């Protein structure tokens, strides 16, 4: 439970959030809590937004990785593969939203937040209960609702909301309500004064040129004849130096989720793309939608499994799951560390650039290991649920105080990866083994670099 | 019975070297335990050839690989082999025994070789600038020099292109072979007066051969030229201050390419076959391959641009060659070279970091993950798109042979696309 978050939400919730009550509908336009001033309220909302974007991203990733499997009819495989790439694209865009939110936190002098809720879900501010589950009409419907504009209504809206609530959960809040509140707060100079915006923080902010990987304005394709004919993600990684640019950034992030008034923006919005997938998935011609994904267990974990989660007990899957969690932690540490290293996008060759490249390498690792997990059983019964990427949060995301200790932390994580990989390699063959051999080589080289960094860093 | 003859391989590439002993045979292999390391160079079976008799006197596997000898590069001197398509529809090496069955001997094979260096002619389009060499039909086993002559050379001046030697088949090595030994890789110059004895004063030159009072090569420029090469101005020369017009120094080199023909005349029939050869610079990085090579072009020409089914190892090979190339590039400079904005943020273009990023991508592909970057590949008809978008496509920061942005062959791109659907529908193991 996170009372330290929930207790500030009273002004926004229709009903108070109690222990055990997962959600209540957000009431937009409410006042800020008494213990926070305007700037702090903006920071709090951004802090929450960061956690939400992170949670959405991993849930979308999980759903995307679950798509596929040998039961998908041949005639549907192109479509399923397109949906997978589309949802992965939306996840990338959520990552970009999270980065933009971190930039705004930096602008307002707030603490960065790469944390998010784990299962079981705790906060009253999330659009729906955090749940890693395979892509189904119900889960896709939940995502549609989470990204929907506040004005969305009509018979289809009612039907999709009903499908999303099939599990009996509370009404799903729209992410847009949070961003609407944030926009009002940040735009209001009587709430957040001008001197709260630190223009000189820009060199600490993440830039699109460093993190965008070319995903902008269709720059990464898809050319006609491209493999999957899927809209290319548009990563909105926006920096800000003042109120005006902060408001613009929030508007753009909100528009990408819900879709603005312009038709072309609506078409590419998360809301619309999820809605299209929902429509396709529930088309009677598609057949049984359960055949379109692997039967992955919800909220998988290699550790003690709380109620509602899936214990990964299969010995090989369990080792892969631990490796996944470790590389996930390495990714989050790389991103956190990158933010704390100075040096802008146009400075040649600096540690920040190296850390960003490491982060992208970890994203590739997560994709690879998730691919191994979804084809393995979660338990010892091969006909039971499949395992899946657990995305368990590490015990901390805090970095040590000194630079040397930080490089030591990276080195410790690499050492752990070498140990886990070596053990796992005794039990796998084929593509899994080929991957582990190559991963070990990368880790060994990384370790050599980190030894140098530890030696050279100041204590 | 011999139905037809072939010379295999149909194309060989010899590589310059000034040393007297050709380079030993080797293979460049990926170490399965170290897939990201430089390819392992492994000595392979090598023929020892007596240059005087032309006989293969032995075979050996060198204990180590030495690329130079007494400070000079050892040339790559490839062999061409004569093969026969028999009446049983079998393609096999021609041997003494096979010839004997036709009533023929080793001396029944005659070889002719034509070679040329047309680089100057290509620019001046003056036929008298062609440097050509011919070896008339021969059946003996002594080295036959390839002597390049040109109507615009000074009297008696020539450029040696190397030599060819008909390897004498023996009972131990009865196959029919021709060996091509390339030139040393030297540069030759031009003058207004006949060259004197001794080395030229220009330290770049092995000798002066070209008569600049008869030919226009020295001082040549492409200004106003309709039939420029792509890229333009690919010759040694100088540009004057304030101008971008290259003025030729009148240099020539000892590269060549040519055609080898073999003819067999028996009482029953006449058969012939031909093959091509080319010479080029030494392989200074033998343990890494470029991302796009002549072999890729030939494969596309042979098998077409389309790929029937996914071949994951092909995609892995492309990515491996990508990080092998990045390893050799000054990416920090290339990122900002040329007009327009940098290809990517300067902070990200350290070549070590980029190499590691490509290796991480490669590692992920080894798990069987479908390549997600197929949409980022440059199409063949986008090589002149130098917009910011165009320059960011992959491969980035690389130039094709035509000076435009590099694109993989269509077949390579289609390999990546075929794999893009990936194994997500496979049965679990």
């Amino acid at each position: 439970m996170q009372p330290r978050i929930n207790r500030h939400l009273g002004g926004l919730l229709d009903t108070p959030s109690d222990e055990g009550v997962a959600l209540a509908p957000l009431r937009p336009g409410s006042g800020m809590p008494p213990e926070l001033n305007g700037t702090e309220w903006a920071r709090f909302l951004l802090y929450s937004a960061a956690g939400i974007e992170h949670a959405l991203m991993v849930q979308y990733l999980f759903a995307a990785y679950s798509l596929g499997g040998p039961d998908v009819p041949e005639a549907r495989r192109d479509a399923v593969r397109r949906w997978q790439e589309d949802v992965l694209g939306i996840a990338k865009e959520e990552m970009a939203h999270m980065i933009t939110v971190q930039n705004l936190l930096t602008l307002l002098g707030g603490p960065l937040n790469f944390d998010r809720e784990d299962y079981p879900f705790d906060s009253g501010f999330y659009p729906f209960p955090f749940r890693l589950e395979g892509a189904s009409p119900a889960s896709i419907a939940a995502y549609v609702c989470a990204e929907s504009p506040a004005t969305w209504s009509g018979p289809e809206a009612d039907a999709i909301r009903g499908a999303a609530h099939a599990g009996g959960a509370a009404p799903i809040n729209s992410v847009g309500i949070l961003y609407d509140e944030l926009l009002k707060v940040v735009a209001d100079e009587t709430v957040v004064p001008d001197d709260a915006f630190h223009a000189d923080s820009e060199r600490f902010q993440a830039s699109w040129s460093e993190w965008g990987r070319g995903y902008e304005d269709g720059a990464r394709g898809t050319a006609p004849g491209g493999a999957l004919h899927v809209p290319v993600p548009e990563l909105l990684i926006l920096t800000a130096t003042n109120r005006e640019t902060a408001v613009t950034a929030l508007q753009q992030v909100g528009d990408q989720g819900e879709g603005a008034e312009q038709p072309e923006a609506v078409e590419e919005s998360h809301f619309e793309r999820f809605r299209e997938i929902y429509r396709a998935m529930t088309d009677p011609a598609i057949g049984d939608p359960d055949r379109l994904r692997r039967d992955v267990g919800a909220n998988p974990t290699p550790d003690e499994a709380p109620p509602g989660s899936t214990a990964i007990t299969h010995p090989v899957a369990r080792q892969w799951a631990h490796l996944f969690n470790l590389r996930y932690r390495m990714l989050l540490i790389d991103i956190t560390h990158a933010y704390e290293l100075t040096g802008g996008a146009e400075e040649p060759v600096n540690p920040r650039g190296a850390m960003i490249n490491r982060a992208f390498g970890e994203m590739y690792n997560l994709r690879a290991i998730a691919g191994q997990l979804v084809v393995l059983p979660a338990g010892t019964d091969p006909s039971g649920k499949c395992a899946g990427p657990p995305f368990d949060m590490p015990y901390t995301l805090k970095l040590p105080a000194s630079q040397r200790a930080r490089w030591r932390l990276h080195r410790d994580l690499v050492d752990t990866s070498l140990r886990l990989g070596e053990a796992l390699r005794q039990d796998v063959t084929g593509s899994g083994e080929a991957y582990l051999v190559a991963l070990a080589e990368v880790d060994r080289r990384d370790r050599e670099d980190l030894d140098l960094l530890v030696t050279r860093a100041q204590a | 019975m011999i139905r037809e003859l072939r010379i295999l391989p149909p194309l060989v590439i010899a590589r310059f070297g000034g040393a007297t002993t050709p380079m030993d045979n080797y293979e460049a292999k990926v170490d399965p335990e170290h897939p990201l390391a430089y390819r392992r160079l492994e000595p392979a079976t090598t023929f020892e050839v007596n240059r005087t008799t032309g006989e293969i006197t032995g075979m050996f596997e060198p204990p180590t690989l030495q690329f130079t000898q007494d400070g000079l590069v050892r040339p790559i001197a490839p062999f061409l082999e004569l093969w026969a398509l028999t009446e049983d529809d079998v393609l096999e090496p021609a041997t003494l025994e096979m010839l004997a069955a036709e009533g023929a001997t080793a001396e029944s094979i005659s070889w002719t070789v034509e070679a040329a260096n047309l680089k100057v002619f290509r620019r001046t389009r003056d036929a008298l600038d062609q440097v050509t060499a011919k070896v008339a039909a021969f059946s003996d086993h002594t080295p036959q020099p390839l002597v390049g002559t040109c109507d615009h050379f000074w009297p008696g001046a020539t450029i040696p292109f190397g030599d060819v030697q008909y390897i004498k088949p023996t009972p131990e090595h009865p196959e029919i072979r021709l060996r091509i030994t390339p030139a040393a890789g030297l540069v030759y110059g031009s003058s207004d007066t006949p060259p004197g004895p001794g080395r030229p004063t220009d330290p770049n030159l092995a000798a002066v051969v070209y008569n600049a009072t008869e030919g226009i090569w020295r001082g040549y420029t492409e200004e106003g030229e309709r039939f420029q090469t792509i890229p333009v101005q690919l010759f040694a020369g100088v540009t004057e201050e304030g101008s971008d017009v290259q003025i030729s120094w009148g240099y020539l080199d000892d590269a060549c390419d040519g055609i080898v023909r073999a003819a067999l005349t028996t009482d029953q029939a006449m058969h012939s076959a031909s093959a091509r050869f080319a010479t080029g610079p030494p392989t200074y990085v033998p343990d890494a391959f470029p991302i796009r090579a002549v072999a890729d072009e030939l494969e596309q020409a042979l098998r077409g641009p389309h790929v029937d089914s996914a071949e994951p190892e092909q995609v892995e090979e492309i990515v491996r060659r990508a990080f092998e190339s990045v390893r050799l590039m000054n990416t920090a400079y290339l990122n900002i070279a040329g007009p327009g904005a940098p290809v990517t943020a300067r902070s990200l273009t350290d070549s070590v970091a980029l190499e590691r990023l490509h290796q991480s991508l490669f590692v992920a592909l080894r798990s069987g993950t479908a390549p997600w970057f197929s949409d980022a590949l440059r199409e063949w008809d986008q090589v002149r798109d130098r917009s910011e978008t165009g320059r960011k496509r992959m491969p980035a920061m690389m130039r094709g042979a035509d000076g435009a942005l590099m694109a993989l062959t269509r077949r390579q791109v289609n390999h990546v696309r075929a794999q893009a659907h990936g194994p997500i529908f496979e049965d679990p193991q």
Side-chain angles (χ1 to χ4, degrees):
Chain A
M1 194 61 184
Q2 287 199 357
R4 64 181 183 273
I5 299 290
N6 282 349
R7 68 188 185 89
H8 294 307
L9 298 179
L12 278 183
L13 299 175
D14 272 348
T15 56
S17 172
D18 299 324
E19 289 278 341
V21 172
L23 279 174
L26 282 175
R27 180 163 56 84
S30 318
M32 61 191 172
E35 291 176 27
L36 306 177
N37 70 4
T39 305
E40 267 280 87
W41 180 226
R43 291 185 191 128
F44 171 81
L45 292 172
L46 286 168
Y47 193 91
S48 301
I52 290 175
E53 299 288 6
H54 188 171
L56 290 176
M57 179 182 71
V58 300
Q59 288 170 98
Y60 297 165
L61 286 173
F62 190 95
Y65 294 143
S66 74
L67 286 166
D71 294 337
V72 179
E74 189 67 44
R76 305 294 167 212
R77 291 190 172 190
D78 277 355
V80 169
R81 181 72 181 97
R82 279 200 308 275
W83 297 343
Q84 184 186 64
E85 244 355 90
D86 202 2
V87 176
L88 287 173
I90 294 172
K92 286 175 188 157
E93 290 172 0
E94 294 298 347
M95 186 199 76
H97 292 175
M98 183 178 75
I99 292 176
T100 296
V101 168
Q102 308 296 347
N103 285 348
L104 297 177
L105 276 165
T106 303
L107 175 67
L108 287 174
L112 301 179
N113 179 24
F114 293 101
D115 210 337
R116 50 145 254 260
E117 285 299 331
D118 238 330
Y119 186 87
F121 166 80
D122 274 321
S123 167
F125 213 169
Y126 277 46
F128 47 83
F130 179 83
R131 186 170 165 80
L132 295 176
E133 59 183 329
S136 66
S139 64
I140 298 293
Y143 305 153
V144 174
C145 295
E147 304 276 3
S148 62
T151 54
W152 184 45
S153 62
E156 188 186 42
D158 293 338
I160 294 177
R161 286 193 179 107
H165 299 155
I172 289 174
N173 295 312
S174 162
V175 180
I177 296 177
L178 168 63
Y179 277 95
D180 286 344
E181 182 69 19
L182 204 40
L183 209 47
K184 289 193 189 81
V185 167
V186 172
D188 190 344
E189 63 183 32
T190 65
V191 176
V192 182
D194 285 343
D195 64 5
F197 298 92
H198 304 284
D200 59 358
S201 70
E202 195 179 19
R203 67 195 183 103
F204 286 97
Q205 297 179 30
S207 68
W208 184 86
S209 64
E210 285 180 314
W211 290 92
R213 311 297 294 157
Y215 285 106
E216 186 186 54
D217 292 336
R220 289 258 320 215
T222 297
L228 297 166
H229 308 285
V230 169
V232 177
E234 171 103 10
L235 299 199
L236 291 177
I237 299 172
L238 305 165
T239 57
T241 53
N242 52 33
R243 186 190 313 278
E244 190 179 35
T245 49
V247 165
T248 301
L250 287 168
Q251 281 171 337
Q252 287 189 39
V253 166
D255 286 349
Q256 189 173 57
E258 301 175 6
E261 299 301 320
Q262 296 81 11
E264 62 277 11
V266 170
E267 202 174 281
E268 294 168 3
S269 68
H270 297 179
F271 162 68
E272 186 55 41
R273 283 146 76 186
F274 274 129
R275 187 166 66 162
E276 283 305 309
I277 293 173
Y278 176 83
R279 286 171 175 166
M281 213 180 240
T282 53
D283 186 338
I286 210 85
D288 180 4
D290 287 344
R291 296 182 67 192
L292 305 177
R293 68 175 188 281
R294 298 184 191 270
D295 190 16
V296 291
N299 303 311
T301 177
D303 299 307
E304 188 77 25
S309 61
T310 304
I312 300 178
T313 57
H314 185 278
V316 174
R318 193 172 197 180
Q319 291 180 84
W320 278 117
H322 280 306
L323 184 62
F324 183 95
N325 282 342
L326 174 69
R327 296 317 295 209
Y328 181 43
R329 182 181 176 196
M330 291 168 75
L331 167 64
L332 296 176
I333 294 289
D334 287 344
I335 296 175
T336 306
H337 198 176
Y339 263 91
E340 302 207 6
L341 292 167
T342 56
E346 296 316 306
E347 285 189 33
V349 187
N350 57 60
R352 174 174 158 141
M355 197 56 57
I356 293 171
N357 276 326
R358 287 168 60 98
F360 283 112
E362 291 310 328
M363 294 178 201
Y364 303 156
N365 279 327
L366 294 185
R367 186 164 182 158
I369 302 172
Q372 296 291 322
L373 278 163
V374 296
V375 299
L376 289 168
T380 47
D381 176 6
S383 64
K385 297 282 185 189
C386 293
F391 284 109
D392 287 318
M393 287 298 290
Y395 74 95
T396 183
L397 289 176
K398 289 187 170 49
L399 290 177
S402 76
Q403 278 300 328
R404 182 178 290 168
R406 290 175 177 190
W407 294 123
R408 274 206 188 108
L409 172 60
H410 287 292
R411 191 176 63 182
D412 290 338
L413 296 174
V414 167
D415 281 344
T416 305
S417 176
L418 283 165
R419 175 172 55 79
L420 286 179
E422 182 59 36
L424 186 50
R425 205 180 145 185
Q426 310 306 314
D427 298 321
V428 302
T429 58
S431 64
E433 184 184 13
Y435 168 73
L436 290 170
V437 168
L439 180 67
E441 189 165 3
V442 167
D443 281 345
R444 281 191 295 269
R445 291 172 178 215
D446 211 14
R447 204 190 185 287
E448 287 172 9
D449 293 345
L450 289 166
D451 276 340
L452 278 175
L453 287 165
V454 167
T455 304
R456 289 178 186 167
Q458 291 180 349
Chain B
M1 288 283 286
I2 295 174
R3 217 170 79 212
E4 293 174 16
L5 288 179
R6 300 277 188 276
I7 299 177
L8 296 176
L11 169 68
V12 292
I13 299 174
R15 297 190 176 275
F16 299 141
T20 53
T21 310
M23 181 60 203
D24 299 325
N25 197 12
Y26 66 89
E27 294 182 85
K29 290 184 174 174
V30 174
D31 183 342
E33 283 301 309
H34 299 281
L36 305 178
Y38 287 90
R39 297 182 199 237
R40 214 166 50 191
L41 299 182
E42 295 182 356
T45 304
T46 302
F47 288 143
E48 198 147 19
V49 176
N50 183 313
R51 278 286 263 175
T52 306
T53 65
E55 291 179 347
I56 295 173
T57 55
M59 296 197 307
F60 69 100
E61 202 172 280
T64 58
L65 293 174
Q66 297 285 336
F67 287 88
T68 60
Q69 180 186 44
D70 301 326
L72 296 174
V73 174
R74 295 173 69 186
I76 302 281
F79 294 86
L80 291 167
E81 293 188 348
L82 192 66
W83 285 56
L85 184 66
T86 68
E87 295 217 326
D88 299 327
D89 237 11
V90 175
L91 186 64
E92 56 186 279
T95 61
L96 287 175
E97 186 180 338
M98 187 186 290
L99 292 178
E102 303 280 326
T105 65
E107 283 64 40
S108 305
I109 305 283
S110 72
W111 301 88
T112 57
V113 181
E114 292 176 65
N117 178 322
L118 302 179
K119 296 183 184 182
V120 175
F121 164 67
R122 169 63 182 82
R123 275 94 181 163
T124 66
R125 286 180 290 118
D126 182 346
L128 299 180
D129 279 332
Q130 296 182 10
V131 185
T132 60
K134 276 189 184 150
V135 181
F138 66 96
S139 300
D140 66 280
H141 307 289
T142 55
Q144 306 286 328
L146 288 168
V147 180
T149 61
C150 172
D151 288 324
H152 279 160
F153 280 5
W154 290 108
T158 59
I159 292 182
F161 287 155
D163 64 71
V164 291
Q165 184 171 24
Y166 177 14
I167 303 297
K168 183 174 183 178
T170 62
E172 294 77 27
H173 301 282
E175 297 84 6
I176 311 298
R177 295 185 175 98
L178 182 87
R179 189 174 203 179
I180 299 171
T181 301
L186 302 176
V187 178
Y188 299 82
S190 306
S191 64
D192 293 328
T193 55
R199 283 193 64 101
T201 53
D202 184 340
N204 293 322
L205 304 180
V208 169
V209 297
Y210 190 86
N211 184 344
T213 66
E214 292 191 359
I216 62 170
W217 180 227
R218 195 177 70 173
Y220 168 84
T221 74
E222 282 186 350
E223 204 169 20
E225 173 61 66
R226 273 186 70 204
F227 300 104
Q228 293 171 339
T229 56
I230 299 171
V232 296
Q233 300 190 138
L234 280 183
F235 50 84
V238 65
T239 53
E240 290 173 344
E241 195 168 335
S243 164
D244 59 0
V245 175
Q246 183 96 332
I247 303 168
S248 169
W249 280 329
Y251 282 7
L252 298 92
D253 62 37
D254 54 10
C256 71
D257 61 272
I259 299 175
V260 168
R261 292 188 179 85
L264 169 65
T265 304
T266 67
D267 292 338
Q268 291 83 34
M270 286 172 57
H271 304 285
S272 66
S274 63
R276 292 182 176 273
F277 68 94
T279 61
T283 310
Y284 286 114
V285 188
D287 50 6
F289 295 166
I291 193 168
R292 176 172 173 165
V294 169
D296 301 305
E297 319 281 346
L298 291 175
E299 186 176 351
Q300 176 166 275
L302 189 66
R303 302 176 69 187
H306 300 295
V307 170
D308 291 327
S309 60
E311 295 174 45
E313 63 278 4
Q314 291 287 348
V315 179
E316 263 190 38
E317 176 65 11
I318 289 168
V319 177
R320 178 192 304 286
R321 289 199 265 159
F323 69 71
E324 288 179 339
S325 298
V326 167
R327 190 183 270 164
L328 303 171
M329 291 159 57
N330 182 346
T331 49
Y333 168 76
L334 290 168
N335 183 44
I336 57 174
V343 177
T344 188
R346 290 182 68 194
S347 58
L348 303 181
T349 55
D350 169 63
S351 64
V352 171
L354 273 184
E355 180 193 346
R356 295 290 165 84
L357 186 65
H358 281 81
Q359 288 177 339
S360 295
L361 196 161
F362 173 84
V363 169
L365 290 179
R366 294 209 108 202
S367 71
T369 301
W372 55 93
F373 48 86
S374 59
D375 60 332
L377 295 173
R378 183 176 292 111
E379 297 279 354
W380 63 273
D381 57 355
Q382 293 173 329
V383 296
R384 297 226 174 256
D385 177 4
R386 292 188 186 276
S387 66
E388 196 166 331
T389 302
R391 289 165 57 239
K392 287 183 196 299
R393 291 198 180 99
M394 294 162 67
M397 307 185 213
M398 293 189 197
R399 194 182 79 163
D402 56 3
L405 299 171
M406 178 177 281
L408 301 181
T409 66
R410 283 172 288 160
R411 188 174 179 84
Q412 285 178 303
V413 170
N414 285 331
H415 268 303
V416 177
R417 293 217 167 110
Q419 186 63 6
H421 287 80
I424 71 167
F425 304 109
E426 286 176 10
D427 265 325
Q429 295 298 315

